[in-house]
Each structure stands twice: as C-alpha cells, then as structure tokens.
Amino acid sequence: MKAKPVIRRKKLLVNCFVALGVYMLLSKFLLTDLPKKSSHVEERTNSQHSHSLLGNSEQSFMIPFLRGQGLNNQLWEYRNAAIIARASNRVLCLEPFHRFYLQKSGRIFIPFHELFDVDSLQVFVKTSENCAQLCNKRIQRHFEISTKQHSRIDPQNPFPIADWRPGSLKLFKQSTGFEVLPIPEIIDYSKKAAKFWTLADTHAIFSAYSKDKCVSVAGSTLELPEEFLNWSRALNVSKNIQNAVNHVKKYIFKDKPYISIHWRFE
C-alpha cells in the first residue's frame, strides 16, 4: 500500500527533470536565435521596428520608471504606466527591461520588442521607442504611487536605490536616454487618499498635469481588473519567442499534448 506514494514521487521527480531539460533547451534556442545587440540606448531602435515609433513632438508621453528586480515585477510596473497612459491619452514609452539583479552575465537591458509584440499592444495604448529624443531628454514630472499614507521623499536622497540595481537613477538614465529627471512627487494611493477605480478616476488625477509633455511614473499599485484583463489580452510574446515555442512543440513534443510547469526558485 505504501508503494503508490513512492511511485508518484518518483514520477514527479522525473517530470521535474524533464521540465528542467526542456527549459534549458528552450533557453539555448532563444539565446542563439535572438539578434545580438549592444546595450547602448542609440541602438535600441532600427528600421525593423519603426512601427512602434508612433510618438511625435505634438503628443505627450508616459515613461515607466522600472524598479522591479525581476521581469514579472517590471511587467506590473509597465501595466501600471500603460493604464495611466491610456487614461490620460498619453503615448506609452517602451523602455528596455532590466536583467534580474542576481544575474551576473548577459545584457543589462533587453529591448521591449524582443520579448513582446509591439503591434498587438496598439489596441490598448499607443507606444513609442523614441521618447528621449521626442522629449529632448527631459522629464517634467516624476510620480511615485505609494500605498503608504504620509509617504515622503528624502530631498537629500530622492533616488535611494544603489546604482547597480534596477530602479536606480543611473540605470534609468542609461537605459532610456533621458538626462533630466526631477525629484519624485508622491501620489498617495492609500485607502484614505487617491482612488483609481476607473479610467475616469485615473484621468481626473492626472489631468492636472496635462501641460507637462513628458512624465514618468514608478509603482504597480493600481487595481482595475477590467483594464488588467484588456492589458493581458493585448500583451503577446514576440514573434521570435513564439517561433521558439513552436520549435519546442514540434521537435521535442512532436506536436502532442504536453504539460507546462511554472517552476520558480529564489
């Protein structure tokens, strides 16, 4: 009677090793298939991605200030900025992702279009990869959305994150091409303060800054389930990643049903 649990554990262990092997194969395929690019800001855009350069000098822009230490947290911050851009009729700036802070090798910055399909995102919000140039490398206002009531910014150290970590002022400037960024302004998102229940609420809050052409925002605290769903529907992986997935399905799983395991570790 005790043999079955042992067999189940052995099968689970085998499945985990199989999943790990697939992950390693997929990682190898992606790394060899992706084009090699410099981390310099000037090389982030080219003619192949001109479709995402939708901004012009007459529009206003929303720049996400990415502080998350991993891709998932940075995506939450992107979603936050995208919803605000959508509500305030701004163009969302597609700034590069930062590599995981514990990863010691590889590119420091990864262009948005290498991971996600820019075309599909247009149904949710207009985008641009050329914001620093369109904004003359200057941001007029920088907002930090906080859930902690009475949060304050230390004027002596307004950007306290260490230079080598995502979220530092140094890496923000290096990855985006912006050179001027003001001291953050707190938008209190605590229970007794600003509410973002709808796009109209969000628009009302940011309408006060409509004359500021280029603004940035940090934080991932918005709670708009319907907009979260719309964002998820518009956010699709890039063609390159989709091709890699199809490659694995065809040559490893032989186009047969398979189970995908989300296996993470810290």
Side-chain angles (χ1 to χ4, degrees):
M1 296 298 293
K2 295 182 179 180
K4 289 185 178 180
V6 174
I7 293 175
R8 291 195 189 99
R9 287 196 292 268
K10 287 183 178 180
K11 286 183 177 180
L12 179 60
L13 183 60
V14 170
N15 288 338
C16 288
F17 279 114
V18 170
L20 179 60
V22 171
Y23 169 78
M24 294 175 67
L25 286 171
L26 179 59
S27 298
K28 182 178 180 181
F29 179 81
L30 281 172
L31 290 174
T32 55
D33 192 55
L34 284 173
K36 294 182 179 180
K37 290 191 177 184
S38 168
S39 62
H40 294 293
V41 174
E42 291 76 14
E43 299 181 14
R44 289 192 292 115
T45 59
N46 53 46
S47 59
Q48 292 179 343
H49 300 95
S50 59
H51 59 267
S52 66
L53 304 181
L54 300 178
N56 60 61
S57 59
E58 303 302 319
Q59 293 175 307
S60 55
F61 302 90
M62 175 61 65
I63 303 98
F65 191 103
L66 302 180
R67 299 186 301 185
Q69 303 304 302
L71 177 62
N72 200 43
N73 289 336
Q74 291 178 36
L75 266 179
W76 291 344
E77 294 171 324
Y78 245 115
R79 181 182 64 187
N80 188 81
I83 291 174
I84 296 175
R86 176 176 165 89
S88 56
N89 196 31
R90 290 179 178 270
V91 174
L92 176 67
C93 299
L94 299 182
E95 306 301 348
F97 291 99
H98 298 226
R99 76 182 181 198
F100 185 47
Y101 77 102
L102 292 179
Q103 186 178 348
K104 303 303 181 183
S105 61
R107 291 175 296 173
I108 300 177
F109 310 119
I110 303 174
F112 187 96
H113 61 252
E114 286 193 13
L115 299 183
F116 297 100
D117 182 24
V118 176
D119 285 336
S120 67
L121 197 58
Q122 306 308 311
V123 300
F124 185 81
V125 63
K126 291 183 178 181
T127 66
S128 174
E129 290 184 300
N130 197 31
C131 289
Q133 179 178 344
L134 293 169
C135 294
N136 295 320
K137 301 182 179 181
R138 177 182 294 271
I139 291 174
Q140 280 77 43
R141 289 180 181 271
H142 174 53
F143 300 104
E144 182 172 331
I145 302 178
S146 175
T147 57
K148 298 179 180 179
Q149 195 174 11
H150 307 305
S151 295
R152 294 184 178 182
I153 299 296
D154 182 359
Q156 302 300 321
N157 188 25
F159 298 94
I161 297 179
D163 286 347
W164 58 274
R165 294 188 69 140
S168 69
L169 181 60
K170 177 181 178 179
L171 289 185
F172 174 81
K173 290 181 176 180
Q174 187 178 347
S175 65
T176 64
F178 284 96
E179 296 178 354
V180 179
L181 185 71
I183 293 178
E185 301 176 48
I186 293 290
I187 294 183
D188 188 352
Y189 187 57
S190 63
K191 294 182 179 180
K192 297 182 180 180
K195 300 299 180 186
F196 297 86
W197 300 127
T198 65
L199 285 182
D201 295 334
T202 307
H203 173 77
I205 292 171
F206 283 90
S207 61
Y209 314 106
S210 59
K211 293 183 179 181
D212 296 303
K213 179 178 178 178
C214 302
V215 303
S216 58
V217 62
S220 58
T221 57
L222 299 189
E223 296 180 7
L224 289 84
E226 185 175 350
E227 293 305 317
F228 287 3
L229 181 59
N230 292 333
W231 162 262
S232 298
R233 287 170 173 169
L235 187 69
N236 298 316
V237 297
S238 67
K239 298 296 189 299
N240 187 73
I241 292 179
Q242 186 59 55
N243 290 338
V245 171
N246 293 335
H247 179 93
V248 170
K249 290 166 64 176
K250 180 177 180 179
Y251 294 103
I252 296 181
F253 295 111
K254 309 301 181 183
D255 286 327
K256 296 180 180 179
Y258 63 93
I259 296 177
S260 177
I261 300 176
H262 180 188
W263 187 15
R264 61 179 295 173
F265 61 92
E266 301 294 343

